[in-house]
Amino acid sequence: MEDVKYAKVPTGMTIDKPSEEPQQEKRTTKEKPLSIKDFDIDPGLPVIQYPHYTNNARSELGCLLIRPDGMVVQEKGIKADKNNPLFRDILAQFTEAEIDTNTKREIQIASSRDKAMQSIKEDEEREKTRHELWEVKSSFMDLDVVKNSDEKLLKRQIRKATNYFEAFAYGVAVIVKESEKNKSE
Amino acid sequence: MNRGYLVVATLSKPFYDAAIMAIESLKDEVPNAKVAFYTHEEWIEDRHRHLFDHLTTPVPVHCRTKLWALPLSPFDQTIYLDADIMVLSDEIEEVWDHLGNHDVVMSENRPYNAKVVYFTHDDQVGPGIPGRELEHYNEDHIKLYREGKAHKFRWHCGMFAWNKNERTQKLWEDWMYWYKRHTVEKNTKPFPKKLAFWDTFAFWRALYENPDNNVDIVRLPNDAKYNFVTGYREAELRAGHEKAVLHYTIPPDLSERGNLFKDATDIDAAYGSFKHFK
């Protein structure tokens, strides 16, 4: 055992006890990992992945099946019936919590996809409307009867129109006015 | 002093059709308006020739041929109009009064109606942070702009008026220089690459890089009246005023189909080429 050595501190000097080093904040997570069932598999059968419910009644499921040759098949309409061998295998390999998590993820994917598709659809519809408006305005404005008409206000309304029917109606109005003028001449 | 309107329609045929409608609308509302038109000879129909007071062909087959045409304006005072506009009243002529002795009068971009307005350059927000486009609806992005850590495309380049002088001729030259630097040399550094397509970016840069040019450029009062872009809120118009110019957008599928370079393998059809004249 080593001898303990002491040193005398000069008068008037103090040595502060070093403050304790801050403990590293422990990483905490509220979400606990899902537990995994202990199970055996038959190597000749496809591996089941990502089972999830596909209806609110939880009477049907879907999953991915990875075949031994690597081919992946999407399986749908699996009856939640213990007489169904695939459902039995799912229950043997996955906890209800795992299936629920997959189902929630599937709902989130579907909802995000719907949102994206809605946005694409809106863009397409806006473009279609713009296209139709352009077509009707340019078609009327290219007609000699409209081009040569002095119905300035009506022609302005065609140009100003913000939808197909408005442009169409003012286009027809110019033609009617011009035709009335021709009759009276 | 002579004054007139400058319209350009190039690269894609629907722009010619749109320009004809635009000029017809102008001449319906302002019958004595003078028009300088820049387009491709092969598109011109004889029945349209009476609409043009000055016709220039051949011109570069490019989507921004306007940058080439601006310094060539035959007028002392010019109003540039995009092809995809409709003149709705003779009050467009008020723009001449607003121009007065200023070098340029323009309308401002509305961030809520523009694809890109705010952006940063490399290292502007912090060391190592690359420049990027910002979103007008993102509070954090707007905060950057307010703190002077982002830029803004202030001016809308689809309708403006100018007095021809040394400063404006230099401005058009600079605009073309920066546009080519961004799109032909493909060098936008230190700004984001994605901005290259926009002529508003090259215009912003021409002003940003040449503060000594001292261009007297001001905003048109009640600017939405003279350049009411589809998507603007009606409230943009001051009470008692009507739109004098409606600015719509040609449907992209039409302009793609009518593109002269749509089948070209060596030219980017989206831009065209300043070297090819038609």
Side-chain angles (χ1 to χ4, degrees):
Chain A
M1 191 179 160
E2 277 186 43
D3 290 341
V4 178
K5 292 178 181 172
Y6 295 91
K8 194 180 174 192
V9 177
T11 319
M13 186 176 172
T14 56
I15 296 176
D16 291 335
K17 190 182 171 191
S19 55
E20 278 180 29
E21 282 188 19
Q23 279 191 335
Q24 273 203 327
E25 202 177 319
K26 279 183 188 170
R27 286 188 66 185
T28 55
T29 171
K30 286 178 187 170
E31 291 161 10
K32 288 179 185 165
L34 293 171
S35 59
I36 309 280
K37 279 189 172 177
D38 189 14
F39 56 89
D40 297 318
I41 56 169
D42 178 342
L45 288 177
V47 175
I48 301 167
Q49 292 285 6
Y50 193 58
H52 56 274
Y53 290 107
T54 54
N55 60 358
N56 289 338
R58 297 160 77 92
S59 59
E60 278 191 6
L61 295 91
C63 73
L64 298 176
L65 294 179
I66 306 174
R67 295 198 324 211
D69 62 1
M71 178 84 83
V72 179
V73 181
Q74 195 176 6
E75 195 73 21
K76 287 176 186 171
I78 307 161
K79 299 281 176 215
D81 174 356
K82 286 186 177 165
N83 293 322
N84 181 327
L86 183 51
F87 181 64
R88 271 205 313 268
D89 282 353
I90 289 171
L91 286 188
Q93 296 177 25
F94 294 87
T95 63
E96 196 63 28
E98 277 182 285
I99 302 173
D100 276 346
T101 301
N102 291 342
T103 305
K104 280 180 195 159
R105 175 172 290 276
E106 193 65 12
I107 291 167
Q108 178 60 38
I109 289 169
S111 140
S112 296
R113 189 182 287 141
D114 282 353
K115 220 154 92 183
M117 291 306 289
Q118 181 63 24
S119 165
I120 291 169
K121 202 177 154 200
E122 280 170 11
D123 283 351
E124 281 173 356
E125 274 171 11
R126 194 167 46 241
E127 285 306 317
K128 194 177 157 218
T129 307
R130 276 168 55 190
H131 196 140
E132 285 171 353
L133 187 59
W134 156 269
E135 290 283 351
V136 69
K137 282 187 185 182
S138 55
S139 300
F140 273 113
M141 297 310 299
D142 202 37
L143 294 175
D144 283 341
V145 61
V146 178
K147 208 185 274 281
N148 300 326
S149 168
D150 55 5
E151 292 295 335
K152 200 166 149 180
L153 291 180
L154 287 175
K155 283 164 80 174
R156 192 185 285 169
Q157 295 299 340
I158 300 175
R159 292 176 178 130
K160 256 170 112 167
T162 52
N163 65 60
Y164 178 91
F165 294 103
E166 198 183 351
F168 188 86
Y170 285 116
V172 170
V174 174
I175 294 170
V176 169
K177 280 266 185 191
E178 290 302 321
S179 136
E180 280 169 359
K181 279 183 205 164
N182 286 343
K183 273 186 206 161
S184 60
E185 275 170 12
Chain B
M1 183 177 285
N2 67 341
R3 54 170 60 150
Y5 295 80
L6 189 150
V7 181
V8 182
T10 46
L11 183 64
S12 188
K13 179 66 170 31
F15 282 89
Y16 174 85
D17 301 331
I20 295 300
M21 281 206 289
I23 298 168
E24 279 175 342
S25 70
L26 171 65
K27 296 233 167 182
D28 271 356
E29 301 293 341
V30 188
N32 60 351
K34 296 278 176 283
V35 173
F37 187 43
Y38 298 76
T39 194
H40 304 308
E41 183 65 40
E42 66 189 70
W43 290 344
I44 301 168
E45 294 177 43
D46 284 341
R47 65 192 178 116
H48 296 148
R49 286 187 190 270
H50 73 280
L51 295 168
F52 323 132
D53 301 280
H54 300 264
L55 176 61
T56 302
T57 63
V59 296
V61 190
H62 197 283
C63 67
R64 306 293 186 207
T65 295
K66 80 172 179 200
L67 306 189
W68 175 89
L70 295 174
L72 304 178
S73 170
F75 310 116
D76 300 317
Q77 289 189 315
T78 311
I79 292 177
Y80 167 78
L81 296 174
D82 265 0
D84 50 356
I85 61 99
M86 302 270 201
V87 177
L88 302 178
S89 88
D90 58 4
E91 290 178 358
I92 187 176
E93 292 275 286
E94 293 167 0
V95 172
W96 302 120
D97 300 330
H98 295 311
L99 173 62
N101 291 322
H102 296 296
D103 289 332
V104 187
V105 286
M106 300 183 95
S107 65
E108 282 198 12
N109 277 314
R110 270 47 175 184
Y112 68 84
N113 200 46
K115 285 206 170 88
V116 194
V117 169
Y118 299 103
F119 59 100
T120 60
H121 63 250
D122 293 348
D123 304 324
Q124 188 177 11
V125 177
I129 298 177
R132 56 177 292 209
E133 292 174 22
L134 303 179
E135 291 143 358
H136 67 86
Y137 48 83
N138 184 322
E139 272 301 315
D140 292 338
H141 290 183
I142 298 305
K143 195 168 163 240
L144 287 176
Y145 176 68
R146 290 201 188 109
E147 290 170 352
K149 291 179 183 167
H151 307 288
K152 180 187 180 185
F153 295 146
R154 181 177 177 194
W155 303 114
H156 192 289
C157 298
M159 184 276 177
F160 52 90
W162 77 95
N163 277 300
K164 189 183 255 189
N165 59 36
E166 274 180 30
R167 288 179 300 281
T168 50
Q169 290 297 89
K170 168 81 168 48
L171 178 60
W172 307 148
E173 191 186 302
D174 291 340
W175 192 357
M176 179 62 112
Y177 168 82
W178 286 108
Y179 186 75
K180 282 186 173 173
R181 167 101 162 238
H182 297 155
T183 59
V184 180
E185 294 173 31
K186 300 192 187 304
N187 178 4
T188 60
K189 281 281 167 195
F191 301 99
K193 267 188 192 169
K194 275 189 176 175
L195 298 177
F197 181 76
W198 305 108
D199 59 345
T200 45
F201 172 44
F203 185 74
W204 171 85
R205 196 153 184 202
L207 293 170
Y208 177 75
E209 303 279 356
N210 300 284
D212 298 337
N213 197 8
N214 289 320
V215 185
D216 171 21
I217 174 167
V218 295
R219 179 180 182 173
L220 276 163
N222 197 7
D223 58 351
K225 175 178 177 178
Y226 308 107
N227 187 22
F228 195 94
V229 182
T230 301
Y232 277 14
R233 297 171 187 136
E234 290 291 324
E236 295 280 3
L237 284 171
R238 290 196 194 146
H241 287 273
E242 293 278 330
K243 296 161 208 162
V245 176
L246 176 71
H247 199 154
Y248 59 98
T249 310
I250 293 171
D253 58 327
L254 276 180
S255 56
E256 278 162 31
R257 261 187 278 151
N259 191 307
L260 288 174
F261 285 142
K262 69 174 186 292
D263 300 320
T265 50
D266 54 340
I267 293 168
D268 184 346
Y271 289 98
S273 161
F274 283 116
K275 287 181 187 162
H276 288 69
F277 281 63
K278 279 193 177 192

